[in-house]
Amino acid sequence: MSDFTIVAVSAGLGQPSSTRLLADRLAQATVDALPPGKTASVETVELRDIAHDVVNTMLTGFPSGGVSGVLEKVTGASGLIAVTPIFTTSYSGLFKSFVDILDKDSLVGKPVLLGATGGTARHSLALEYALRPLFTYLRTDTVPTGVFAATDDWAGEADSVNPLPKRIERAGRELAQRIAGGVTETPADPYGAMPSFADMMRDL
């Protein structure tokens, strides 16, 4: 039996889907980064498979079809990975519709890793101005690193300084630390070694 459960929600519309691919890579990176001896089961939810049920749930106010089981998996998971394609500078309508049928208190404190896909890196800031505020409203424990994958990233032709595999590894490590109850990495203070004002004045 696994120690933790990770649910990856993919809002990709196509098959195959780069959004699903990113969700799978993030899930694997999270599992790989768990502390020694700890294991996690991973389940991926393709929203395209329950799209009609999501709409029906919005219209009726009651879980329809397969939605009930998916909601239970998402709210009961140890950690959540949420990945959406970026359409017209923001998350997809299907992704937002699914979030809208969640109880607003159902994800409070839950560790969440955010991901997104798009045609070009120009849409990468959608993670910060669209997705992160949405999950802040839901009061989730969202990890610092979000991962955006543009088309060129998959071919290794985009960011040579901070390539996609490196970003995936870092984000997975942060989520694993949250799930396992550890402390997420914090950036080193570039001014931490500077003397205090009082110390400087003492030398005058």
Side-chain angles (χ1 to χ4, degrees):
M1 184 175 179
S2 299
D3 299 294
F4 309 107
T5 57
I6 299 170
V7 173
V9 175
S10 169
L13 301 181
Q15 283 188 322
S17 163
S18 60
T19 303
R20 169 62 189 267
L21 179 59
L22 179 58
D24 289 344
R25 296 281 179 87
L26 291 170
Q28 187 59 55
T30 302
V31 172
D32 291 344
L34 287 171
K38 297 296 183 180
T39 61
S41 61
V42 177
E43 183 155 358
T44 302
V45 174
E46 293 261 22
L47 294 185
R48 70 187 303 278
D49 294 337
I50 58 168
H52 293 291
D53 294 333
V54 169
V55 173
N56 289 336
T57 300
M58 292 184 68
L59 294 175
T60 64
F62 298 96
S64 172
V67 165
S68 181
V70 169
L71 292 177
E72 289 180 6
K73 292 174 185 175
V74 168
T75 57
S78 307
L80 179 65
I81 296 170
V83 187
T84 177
I86 300 300
F87 296 141
T88 321
T89 74
S90 189
Y91 37 69
S92 72
L94 177 58
F95 183 84
K96 181 56 163 61
S97 295
F98 179 73
V99 172
D100 284 343
I101 65 174
L102 289 167
D103 183 278
K104 63 180 179 64
D105 297 321
S106 63
L107 299 183
V108 173
K110 187 174 298 296
V112 176
L113 193 169
L114 301 177
T117 57
T120 72
R122 291 196 302 271
H123 301 301
S124 61
L125 286 178
L127 278 170
E128 304 305 323
Y129 67 69
L131 266 76
R132 198 172 293 277
L134 178 63
F135 282 84
T136 297
Y137 172 79
L138 295 173
R139 290 174 288 163
T140 63
D141 181 15
T142 308
V143 302
T145 301
V147 179
F148 179 87
T151 301
D152 288 346
D153 281 313
W154 298 111
E157 299 172 353
D159 191 343
S160 59
V161 176
N162 195 19
L164 180 59
K166 184 177 178 180
R167 285 178 275 141
I168 289 175
E169 180 183 359
R170 179 176 179 179
R173 185 169 62 249
E174 290 175 356
L175 182 59
Q177 289 170 338
R178 295 289 176 88
I179 290 173
V183 179
T184 302
E185 297 176 8
T186 54
D189 182 359
Y191 304 106
M194 292 288 290
S196 68
F197 182 73
D199 289 338
M200 290 187 289
M201 292 298 294
R202 239 191 331 260
D203 295 332
L204 296 178

